[in-house]
Amino acid sequence: MLGHFGFSYVGLIYMLMLEVPNIIWARRKPKGYDPSGENKALLFTERIGQVLCVASILLFTDYNPHSFDLWTMWLAVSLVLMVIYEINWIRYFRSEQTVGDFYRSLCGIPALGATLPVTAFLLLGIYGKVIWLVLASIILGIGHIGIHAQHIRRIKPKDEVNTWKGC
């Protein structure tokens, strides 16, 4: 449950899936995006969670598949969530890139850019049986989802964020 040290290629794939869109986003932030006023405690919690998640997914080999059995479903669901995360980014980059586009939900799931990777990392930690990633995901979730929830509450009109045709 503590993890086996070594390099995780699955962790590297997850990091690339997480970071590449975020690097692009840094140059294509939503019109009207304003990070001022973010709760400092949530921001601190988010940063700690990010560091712990990155370290955990790269430094433990337990996420690399050993065999395919029923337990592998945790990995499969985690990967599906990361693929949906990528689709969400594509949807955002193809939009007008407003704050409403950035925080738009999908099938009632709010703040996809926060909830999907946090949940995927949590499931990856369960799959690998690495308590450190499970705990890091919870810490990250408190900060990251909390910050996104603050932004969503500030957006008006709410219909712009909460609807998406096709679901």
Side-chain angles (χ1 to χ4, degrees):
M1 192 78 177
L2 297 178
H4 299 92
F5 281 110
F7 177 72
S8 171
Y9 64 86
V10 170
L12 178 62
I13 292 167
Y14 272 60
M15 279 309 304
L16 290 172
M17 292 176 81
L18 186 70
E19 292 304 322
V20 169
N22 278 284
I23 291 168
I24 297 169
W25 177 82
R27 294 180 177 209
R28 298 171 77 179
K29 290 183 181 174
K31 298 169 192 125
Y33 177 76
D34 180 15
S36 67
E38 289 178 347
N39 182 300
K40 300 297 181 206
L42 290 177
L43 191 57
F44 179 76
T45 305
E46 178 189 42
R47 296 295 182 251
I48 296 296
Q50 288 171 335
V51 169
L52 294 173
C53 280
V54 168
S56 181
I57 68 168
L58 293 176
L59 298 177
F60 293 109
T61 61
D62 304 86
Y63 317 116
N64 300 336
H66 321 318
S67 63
F68 291 93
D69 53 19
L70 192 55
W71 193 256
T72 310
M73 290 304 294
W74 291 106
L75 176 61
V77 173
S78 175
L79 185 58
V80 166
L81 292 178
M82 287 303 290
V83 169
I84 296 169
Y85 175 74
E86 297 301 313
I87 291 168
N88 183 59
W89 276 114
I90 292 168
R91 179 177 76 153
Y92 167 73
F93 290 132
R94 294 182 74 199
S95 73
E96 294 178 24
Q97 298 175 12
T98 65
V99 176
D101 293 326
F102 185 63
Y103 289 110
R104 196 168 42 179
S105 66
L106 176 65
C107 298
I109 302 169
L112 292 173
T115 55
L116 289 173
V118 167
T119 306
F121 279 38
L122 178 68
L123 296 177
L124 185 63
I126 292 170
Y127 166 74
K129 300 176 187 168
V130 178
I131 191 69
W132 308 119
L133 183 55
V134 171
L135 294 174
S137 299
I138 292 168
I139 293 167
L140 174 63
I142 290 167
H144 197 50
I145 294 170
I147 288 170
H148 279 259
Q150 280 185 324
H151 285 280
I152 289 170
R153 272 182 271 183
R154 284 190 243 164
I155 296 173
K156 303 238 187 311
K158 297 233 184 259
D159 291 341
E160 200 175 302
V161 175
N162 294 321
T163 61
W164 183 61
K165 293 182 176 23
C167 184

